[in-house]
Amino acid sequence: AQSVTQLGSHVSVSEGALVLLRCNYSSSVPPYLFWYVQYPNQGLQLLLKYTSAATLVKGINGFEAEFKKSETSFHLTKPSAHMRDAAEYFCAVNPRETGANNLFFGTGTRLTVIP
Amino acid sequence: DADVTQTPRNRITKTGKRIMLECSQTKGHDRMYWYRQDPGLGLRLIYYSFDVKDINKGEISDGYSVSRQAQAKFSLSLESAIPNQTALYFCATSDLVRGEAFFGQGTRLTVV
């Protein structure tokens, strides 16, 4: 069975500090992995994705994530937080199994940036 | 114009009423999805469709039905709304090759 676990439903960082949002997955085959961001009163926007190419993936707004197969992780990072990064972030997995190929989402992490 | 459009954006309805949420897309994708979002639970899949003749139940399909009227249109119905169906509903489409989903702006449904 496939699942996504996001550790920490709320994360607070100071403006300018490192952002680290954690995501672990379980999948029987190497999956596709995604991070989405949701700003208040908006839909989900793709930040970045891993589709079996380079393990370090760069996305929009200065975010990046590294696929680590040995740790089954896909943590999201940004070196320096901005106030505009305050949002909810969702990790998602596409397990790529025959007949499935749907996205399964984690429960989300709300990021607060403190001035 | 948005690639994935949901109507209405907000709706308040009474318990027991039938309500339909509509979704249309201009991305040309075959795959369409309905999710609901609840605080602390993330997004959960209600139904998905891989083409006009293919409809599949997701994790939480009880109390919902769908109709794929055309490649570009996928509607979600609540036959008899109940308060615990109060949530934010999202429609999405996806590309088979790349696997990523594209989301509408959401419909906030309140059942009183």
Side-chain angles (χ1 to χ4, degrees), chain A residues 36 38 46 49 101-103, chain B residues 33 35 37 48 96 100-101:
Chain A
Y36 284 85
Q38 184 182 30
L46 182 69
K49 62 181 179 181
N101 215 25
N102 294 324
L103 280 183
Chain B
Y33 307 80
Y35 290 89
Q37 182 182 13
Y48 59 102
L96 172 62
E100 67 191 81

Side-chain angles (χ1 to χ4, degrees), chain B residues 59-73:
Chain B
E59 306 168 63
I60 53 164
S61 58
D62 287 349
Y64 301 95
S65 62
V66 291
S67 173
R68 185 81 183 266
Q69 301 95 324
Q71 187 207 35
K73 295 183 182 296

Side-chain angles (χ1 to χ4, degrees), chain A residues 69-92:
Chain A
K69 184 179 179 180
S70 61
E71 298 177 8
T72 60
S73 69
F74 191 57
H75 302 330
L76 181 70
T77 60
K78 181 173 180 177
S80 176
H82 291 273
M83 296 299 296
R84 63 176 176 266
D85 296 327
E88 189 152 22
Y89 292 81
F90 292 93
C91 181

